[in-house]
């Protein structure tokens, strides 16, 4: 098949890499325009663009596909001239109007990192961990107008373990998504079969994965240790959970933690024990969370032993 691929971050690059190993022809790759990145704010290509250029693929980076503007109409026409059988979309970042969705012969397929209709929207991986979901997965859907509301063609699931962070769950889902799209696009007959058995999403089961904002990463020690533990895992590697040691110092970043079987009757946020295994902090509902990796402003993330060596924290100190 002749495939147009549209995506931007690493999650999408995994799917493009997998499709490049098939017999399909990638006729063009669409990705977001280069963005400033790093301390120097140098214009940087997306992971998808980087891979596409390495493979000598045609790369296009339109700002939009709006029919109300000449640039959008031109982008629509260029896409139509590719005469593709199907367009694969994975975390592309642009809204595709109906005229674009209808352009490829077999339409556009989206790789979404959740088991729809649960966790439609921008941050399905983080929201699944935050909610304490036992599992998540990838859904391949036939794109139509609406945000992740389209008919589902194929699903694959994975367990969310007690140690999963957004980082490693993202990588696992990227691999599953790559495998899933290759399964659906094994050949035209297979694609048609999945499309003929498409499943409509049950609107009664939907919820929305709102975009993550940095303020959500502030730890509230009045919450139970399990809730805070999920928060720390969900916001690793971004925006990273944080708390205050006192009002005069920058926030202390919390990279990892572990649940304990301890109980307490102390003040929320109070450090009740410290050793080479971690920093035990009193949390809501009489629970205790053990912090195992911390980062002070201007420094690097430290493990439990290194934290003790800094002598910056003390038993009885209140974190806020």
């Amino acid at each position: 098949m002749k495939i147009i691929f549209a995506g931007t971050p690493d999650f999408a690059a995994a799917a493009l890499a997998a499709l490049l190993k098939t017999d399909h022809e990638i006729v063009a790759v669409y990705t977001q325009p280069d963005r400033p990145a790093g301390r120097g704010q140098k214009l940087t290509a997306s992971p998808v663009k980087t891979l596409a250029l390495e493979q000598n693929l045609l790369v296009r980076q339109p700002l939009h596909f709006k029919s109300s503007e000449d640039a959008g109409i031109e982008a629509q026409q260029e896409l139509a001239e590719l005469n593709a059988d199907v367009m694969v979309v994975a975390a592309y970042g642009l809204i595709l109007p109906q005229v674009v969705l209808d352009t490829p012969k077999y339409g556009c397929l989206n790789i979404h990192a959740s088991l729809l209709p649960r966790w439609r929207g921008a941050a399905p991986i983080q929201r699944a961990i935050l909610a304490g979901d036992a599992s998540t997965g990838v859904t391949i859907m036939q794109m139509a107008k609406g945000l992740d509301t389209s008919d589902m063609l194929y699903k694959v699931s994975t367990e969310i373990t007690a140690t999963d962070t957004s980082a490693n769950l993202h990588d696992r889902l990227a691999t599953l998504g790559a495998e899933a799209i290759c399964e659906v696009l094994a050949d035209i007959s297979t694609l048609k079969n999945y499309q003929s058995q498409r499943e409509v999403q049950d609107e009664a089961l939907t919820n929305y994965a709102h975009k993550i904002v940095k303020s959500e990463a502030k730890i509230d020690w009045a919450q139970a240790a399990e809730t805070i533990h999920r928060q720390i895992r969900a916001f690793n590697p971004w925006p990273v959970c944080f708390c205050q040691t006192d009002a005069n110092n920058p926030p202390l970043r919390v990279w990892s933690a572990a649940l304990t079987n301890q109980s307490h009757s102390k003040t929320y946020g109070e450090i009740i024990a410290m050793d080479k295994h971690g920093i035990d902090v009193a949390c809501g509902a009489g629970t205790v969370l053990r912090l195992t990796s911390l980062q002070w402003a201007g420094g690097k993330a430290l493990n439990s032993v290194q934290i003790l060596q800094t002598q910056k924290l003390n038993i009885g100190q209140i974190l806020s």
Side-chain angles (χ1 to χ4, degrees):
M1 280 183 277
K2 295 174 65 177
I3 297 174
I4 296 171
F5 187 89
T8 299
D10 288 319
F11 181 86
L16 176 58
L19 288 169
L20 285 168
K21 295 178 182 177
T22 68
D23 293 331
H24 301 306
E25 179 188 1
I26 308 297
V27 294
V29 170
Y30 282 73
T31 190
Q32 286 275 331
D34 297 0
R35 307 291 190 197
R39 291 186 177 180
Q41 291 294 286
K42 179 181 178 181
L43 282 180
T44 303
S46 71
V48 164
K49 179 179 179 179
T50 299
L51 176 58
L53 293 178
E54 289 173 355
Q55 299 296 318
N56 296 314
L57 299 174
L58 172 63
V59 175
R60 287 180 174 162
Q61 298 174 275
L63 294 175
H64 57 76
F65 291 93
K66 296 177 182 178
S67 297
S68 59
E69 297 184 22
D70 290 343
I73 294 173
E74 182 180 352
Q76 293 176 15
Q77 292 172 341
E78 288 179 342
L79 190 144
E81 290 169 0
L82 294 168
N83 194 31
D85 293 306
V86 68
M87 183 171 177
V88 174
V89 181
Y92 180 24
L94 287 187
I95 295 175
L96 302 181
Q98 193 63 49
V99 64
V100 171
L101 299 180
D102 293 338
T103 294
K105 185 175 181 180
Y106 298 103
C108 298
L109 306 184
N110 180 248
I111 307 171
H112 184 74
S114 82
L115 297 174
L116 292 171
R118 188 163 178 78
W119 301 126
R120 295 173 176 174
I125 298 174
Q126 295 94 330
R127 297 300 176 192
I129 294 176
L130 277 172
D133 290 359
S135 63
T136 185
V138 168
T139 302
I140 306 299
M141 59 180 167
Q142 186 78 42
M143 294 180 71
K145 189 175 182 180
L147 180 63
D148 303 330
T149 59
S150 310
D151 293 350
M152 303 174 292
L153 304 186
Y154 183 70
K155 289 184 181 182
V156 59
S157 63
T158 183
E159 177 187 5
I160 299 178
T161 71
T163 59
D164 273 332
T165 64
S166 287
N168 67 329
L169 185 55
H170 165 280
D171 292 348
R172 193 156 76 247
L173 291 174
T175 298
L176 290 177
E179 294 171 349
I181 194 63
C182 289
E183 161 64 26
V184 172
L185 296 177
D187 51 47
I188 291 179
S189 177
T190 301
L191 172 58
K192 287 182 176 179
N193 184 56
Y194 278 113
Q195 290 178 326
S196 68
Q197 299 182 56
R198 66 180 64 183
E199 178 185 357
V200 177
Q201 295 188 40
D202 185 345
E203 291 297 321
L205 301 177
T206 64
N207 61 353
Y208 187 72
H210 292 278
K211 184 179 179 180
I212 301 298
V213 295
K214 289 184 178 181
S215 59
E216 292 183 78
K218 176 70 167 69
I219 294 175
D220 177 4
W221 298 107
Q223 295 185 98
E226 183 177 355
T227 299
I228 300 172
H229 186 235
R230 293 200 303 263
Q231 181 187 16
I232 292 168
R233 291 161 44 220
F235 295 149
N236 178 347
W238 191 90
V240 185
C241 280
F242 64 92
C243 62
Q244 297 288 151
T245 55
D246 60 61
N248 298 319
N249 287 312
L252 176 64
R253 304 177 90 189
V254 181
W255 282 94
S256 67
L259 296 172
T260 76
N261 294 321
Q262 302 176 62
S263 59
H264 72 89
S265 57
K266 302 288 187 177
T267 303
Y268 301 148
E270 182 175 344
I271 297 175
I272 60 176
M274 297 172 56
D275 60 24
K276 64 180 182 180
H277 301 295
I279 311 299
D280 292 348
V281 181
C283 303
T287 58
V288 177
L289 186 67
R290 178 166 295 160
L291 309 183
T292 56
S293 180
L294 301 175
Q295 182 182 13
W296 277 267
K300 62 180 181 180
L302 305 178
N303 62 32
S304 301
V305 173
Q306 293 168 324
I307 293 168
L308 287 178
Q309 293 171 344
T310 67
Q311 299 183 349
K312 291 183 177 181
L313 299 176
N314 303 287
I315 293 176
Q317 184 175 355
I318 306 297
L319 304 178
S320 61

